[in-house]
Amino acid sequence: MKLLEERIRKDGVIKEGGVVKVDNFLNHQMDIRLFNEMGKEWKRLFVDKPINKILTIEASGIGIAAIAAQYFDVPVVFAKKTQSINLDGEVYSTKIQSFTHGRVYDVIVSKKYISAEDHILIIDDFLANGCALLGLIDLVEAAGATVEGIGIAIEKGFQPGGGLIREKGYHLESLAIIDRIQKETNELIFRQNCTK
Ligand code: 5GP
């Protein structure tokens, strides 16, 4: 998606370890006009899927998922990161290793909000090693629900998550894929794809 690529080029800050900071428009301050365009694009890409719910993970997924949900006219559920798992059987839980902090979190969703009848679109801000997505897929499948698709804002194509998820056969649509970071100039090289 050209608009997102241009914005990452303009405002993205490249950090050590292949971390791209996009606090100016996505992870801290949020550009809602841009989020609307992203929502429309995901709707176009998943138009033929019977999606009745969007699942994301706190915190940075919530804003983009909430705006996108308006184009699908469905509710958003966000998985919660927690330190104390409630073991009363009322939640689905999984463990996710954080890319940015290295820590392992327990992540939960109440059984009230995902069930076997659900057809789910998973949305998240970044895809790097794929741990967050694999955890979210785990939660959906534990509920017997169907993963209809996965929408990512920024995939880092130089990390293994995208390949891993596509190999498993999921319909993954990343709006911008950074293939590499040119070391000398700090320039971001995006993958050419067929999204607008
Ligand atoms: P993964 O689990 O795929 O390794 O990483 C995905 C998660 O880590 C995302 O939910 C995102 O919050 C965070 N993340 C991964 N790479 C980056 C990055 O380059 N920049 C930012 N801001 N977050 C990232």
Side-chain angles (χ1 to χ4, degrees):
M1 186 185 172
K2 287 284 165 255
L3 191 66
L4 180 59
E5 290 178 10
E6 280 163 16
R7 192 61 185 272
I8 300 166
R9 271 210 186 91
K10 179 168 163 279
D11 287 329
V13 179
I14 300 159
K15 297 280 187 186
E16 280 302 299
V19 172
V20 180
K21 289 208 81 171
V22 287
D23 282 11
N24 171 285
F25 63 93
L26 202 153
N27 285 145
H28 196 13
Q29 175 168 256
M30 297 187 283
D31 182 337
I32 302 304
R33 199 177 288 255
L34 175 66
F35 284 16
N36 270 302
E37 295 308 315
M38 291 161 58
K40 280 185 215 167
E41 184 63 359
W42 279 318
K43 177 64 189 177
R44 189 181 73 83
L45 294 165
F46 293 110
V47 73
D48 54 342
K49 297 290 172 78
I51 291 159
N52 73 329
K53 200 165 275 186
I54 291 177
L55 175 68
T56 187
I57 181 163
E58 66 180 359
S60 302
I62 296 175
I64 51 176
I67 299 291
Q70 297 179 108
Y71 296 95
F72 291 85
D73 198 18
V74 299
V76 177
V77 176
F78 65 91
K80 297 187 173 202
K81 295 171 182 164
T82 174
Q83 254 137 28
S84 55
I85 285 205
N86 161 354
L87 289 174
D88 59 8
E90 296 303 312
V91 297
Y92 296 111
S93 75
T94 191
K95 288 189 187 297
I96 294 180
Q97 172 148 23
S98 152
F99 179 84
T100 32
H101 304 111
R103 257 177 287 156
V104 175
Y105 291 95
D106 288 306
V107 174
I108 59 161
V109 170
S110 166
K111 289 186 177 176
K112 281 191 282 192
Y113 303 125
I114 311 188
S115 72
E117 291 77 49
D118 285 327
H119 292 261
I120 291 182
L121 173 64
I122 297 175
I123 283 189
D124 202 7
D125 59 344
F126 272 92
L127 172 55
N129 291 328
C131 300
L133 274 188
L134 290 172
L136 292 174
I137 291 169
D138 221 29
L139 294 174
V140 173
E141 296 185 342
T146 308
V147 177
E148 290 290 348
I150 300 170
I152 292 291
I154 306 169
E155 175 180 334
K156 294 188 293 179
F158 54 91
Q159 287 167 336
L164 207 74
I165 298 290
R166 289 187 183 91
E167 242 168 54
K168 289 178 181 285
Y170 294 102
H171 179 178
L172 167 64
E173 296 284 359
S174 300
L175 300 183
I177 304 179
I178 302 171
D179 258 342
R180 60 197 169 84
I181 300 168
Q182 195 99 54
K183 275 241 166 67
E184 307 73 40
T185 55
N186 252 1
E187 191 194 349
L188 296 171
I189 313 296
F190 289 96
R191 188 172 308 172
Q192 299 306 311
N193 58 20
C194 52
T195 62
K196 284 195 296 182

